[in-house]
Amino acid sequence: MIHFYELSRLDTDQRARLLRRAETAIDDLLDYVRPIVRGVRDRGDAALLEYIERFDGTRLSADRLRVSREDIERAYEVLNKDVYAAIKQAIRNVRIFHERQMPHEQWFTQVAPGIMAGEKITPISSVGLYVPRGKGAFPSVMYMLATPASIAGVPRIVVSTPAGPDGETDPATLVAADLCGVHEIYRVGGAHAIAALAYGTETIARVHKITSPGNPYVSAAKRLLYGTVDVGLPAGPSEAIILADESADPELVTRDLLVEAEHGPDSSGLLVTDSRILAEKVLSLMPSKIAALPEPRQTFCNTGFESEKGTGGVVLTSTMREAVAFVNEYAPEHLEVQVREPFALLPDLKNAGEILIGPYTPIPTGNFSIGTNAVLPTGGFAHTYSCTSVYDFLKRTGVAYMTEEGYESVSETTRRLAEFEGFPAHALAVTQRKIRS
């Protein structure tokens, strides 16, 4: 039986369970991941190679950790031409979208006569991009992360991605990295990859920021390393809401509902609708649609929609207003809107990693090819975090300049506030200031 919830009939505990994500399980993994992180910190490459063999089943030597130029050239040779063309088109769209985000390098405004204040925008000096491979190869994650980093002008873009059992890195991922201007690529994944990027090893120099999606082990490592390195936005197990009314096509809604759910058993997909007719039609269509999927995707969807631990299903609300309120409370990673007048509803949709509007804008197009970024906050963090963009790879520095006139206009205000807050050196730096001619 597919999970079905009538929102108005749920008690507080049931509602809390519905809002629960796989993110909440990360706490249980911290004790498991902690010794891995410490091992890389204390033993560097030796620990890294040990963990690669233990967790990935890949035996490497230290000189094979870094992907060579020859490896990349070989990837171009073996990559399917149609896949190559698709990657190039997708990168083009992603690049065009993100180039429009770039702010001016600096700006000033006159606060008062003789007082100029503004900002200087500079790229982060080094970033680590983690590209997972556990249940498949993800060149799309590569270009979603590397394209804005490259546009932002990051001088050192480092990628960490697991190798297969044969020790080779996915060719499509390597080609995408090269097309996006990545500077270094390493064959390492999991929590140990995050630790290597954060602390550095003999082979991998540390970075100043890490951004990535990842499984709960990667998310746990990032949580442990918060404060050691900027760990970027929380991007854990996939999740999506399809917000629909009676005008939506049940067939399309059902297919779209399976999109994020097939990522893994800890992923979520919810239909939220005020139409009982639509809800019932989707519930009747889902079993056959799930059964038609190959393994392991079929099992992933069954787990998400039918098992006791699953967090996917169909949510029926009394009104569209109630549906929108629930979506904003849930703050999904992906939000697909299939209602009669979506642009009228758009101003009320406040919390989502991305909003995809209309039946011709399904989640897969956002994941791969539209141009908007598909590395998004999960676990309800769309309440406070934004989608990945060039801003994730830039930093702002305040800049100010005053003339003598400007200084004189604020010196007394500065002295009074400094003395009020108990900082005599602050006050003296103003009252005893003599500028030599």
Side-chain angles (χ1 to χ4, degrees):
M1 294 291 292
I2 306 298
H3 298 146
F4 175 66
Y5 312 92
E6 289 195 57
L7 198 60
S8 62
R9 297 187 177 186
L10 299 182
D11 61 28
T12 302
D13 290 341
Q14 291 170 327
R15 189 182 180 97
R17 186 194 179 285
L18 182 56
L19 292 166
R20 176 177 60 81
R21 322 293 157 89
E23 292 280 359
T24 58
I26 291 173
D27 289 340
D28 301 332
L29 299 176
L30 295 179
D31 288 340
Y32 179 84
V33 170
R34 187 174 284 107
I36 297 171
V37 169
R38 288 176 176 170
V40 174
R41 179 196 65 187
D42 296 340
R43 297 192 291 118
D45 281 354
L48 207 54
L49 295 171
E50 175 188 318
Y51 296 140
I52 290 171
E53 184 172 0
R54 183 195 305 180
F55 299 121
D56 302 328
T58 307
R59 181 173 295 182
L60 294 177
S61 55
D63 62 344
R64 285 272 294 154
L65 284 173
R66 183 168 180 173
V67 172
S68 67
R69 186 66 218 175
E70 291 76 15
D71 294 323
I72 295 171
E73 294 299 334
R74 193 179 312 115
Y76 276 101
E77 293 173 2
V78 302
L79 183 61
N80 177 281
K81 291 181 178 180
D82 291 337
V83 175
Y84 175 69
I87 290 172
K88 285 195 69 176
Q89 182 185 12
I91 290 175
R92 174 188 174 277
N93 292 350
V94 172
R95 175 165 287 277
I96 290 171
F97 173 82
H98 288 80
E99 283 174 344
R100 291 293 300 272
Q101 296 175 336
M102 279 296 290
H104 294 294
E105 290 186 12
Q106 64 181 35
W107 60 268
F108 279 96
T109 188
Q110 181 172 285
V111 175
I115 303 176
M116 300 294 292
E119 288 183 332
K120 176 179 172 62
I121 312 297
T122 52
I124 296 171
S125 58
S126 62
V127 298
L129 313 178
Y130 179 72
V131 178
R133 193 182 174 178
K135 303 180 184 74
F138 303 111
S140 62
V141 175
M142 179 68 78
Y143 60 73
M144 290 293 179
L145 294 174
T147 300
S150 176
I151 292 169
V154 175
R156 179 172 173 251
I157 304 173
V158 182
V159 164
S160 181
T161 187
D166 59 357
E168 296 301 323
T169 310
D170 168 57
T173 302
L174 290 184
V175 168
D178 193 55
L179 291 173
C180 293
V182 168
H183 303 113
E184 303 168 30
I185 308 172
Y186 296 94
R187 294 179 172 92
V188 55
H192 39 299
I194 305 302
L197 293 169
Y199 289 119
T201 71
E202 295 89 337
T203 299
I204 305 173
R206 69 180 297 272
V207 299
H208 289 94
K209 180 172 184 174
I210 300 169
T211 187
S212 70
N215 63 26
Y217 297 96
V218 168
S219 298
K222 289 167 67 176
R223 186 175 295 182
L224 288 172
L225 289 162
Y226 178 83
T228 298
V229 66
D230 183 341
V231 295
L233 86 169
S238 301
E239 59 191 43
I241 283 181
I242 313 297
L243 177 63
D245 62 15
E246 76 285 351
S247 69
D249 183 331
E251 181 80 19
L252 295 183
V253 168
T254 305
R255 291 192 181 280
D256 292 354
L257 193 55
L258 302 183
V259 169
E260 294 305 301
E262 74 168 343
H263 275 268
D266 49 5
S267 297
S268 300
L270 287 174
L271 165 62
V272 179
T273 182
D274 63 345
S275 169
R276 184 177 291 274
I277 292 174
L278 177 65
E280 290 175 349
K281 286 183 177 178
V282 170
L283 287 168
S284 68
L285 289 170
M286 282 186 69
S288 63
K289 293 289 189 290
I290 294 174
L293 294 174
E295 291 293 357
R297 308 301 173 184
Q298 183 181 142
T299 296
F300 294 159
C301 287
N302 281 329
T303 300
F305 290 116
E306 298 180 16
S307 77
E308 184 178 347
K309 293 182 178 180
T311 54
V314 175
V315 179
L316 179 64
T317 64
S318 301
T319 64
M320 184 52 64
R321 182 183 296 273
E322 184 183 38
V324 169
F326 175 78
V327 168
N328 285 330
E329 183 180 7
Y330 192 95
E333 176 188 18
H334 306 274
L335 173 60
E336 187 177 300
V337 182
Q338 294 197 35
V339 300
R340 182 172 283 104
E341 298 181 3
F343 286 97
L345 206 60
L346 186 58
D348 296 324
L349 297 170
K350 309 294 186 183
N351 303 320
E354 70 172 356
I355 302 173
L356 303 172
I357 299 171
Y360 293 104
T361 320
I363 291 169
T365 61
N367 282 346
F368 296 112
S369 57
I370 290 176
T372 53
N373 206 289
V375 180
L376 306 167
T378 63
F381 282 103
H383 277 281
T384 55
Y385 281 84
S386 305
C387 55
T388 297
S389 70
V390 297
Y391 304 112
D392 289 281
F393 304 101
L394 298 170
K395 54 189 176 64
R396 304 188 310 275
T397 303
V399 182
Y401 168 77
M402 289 196 296
T403 64
E404 183 177 358
E405 177 191 12
Y407 171 75
E408 292 294 340
S409 72
V410 297
S411 59
E412 180 61 15
T413 293
T414 304
R415 180 195 65 78
R416 288 175 179 173
L417 291 171
E419 289 181 349
F420 176 79
E421 293 193 3
F423 293 110
H426 286 58
L428 288 170
V430 176
T431 60
Q432 302 299 314
R433 196 166 203 82
K434 303 294 182 183
I435 308 298
R436 295 180 181 178
S437 300

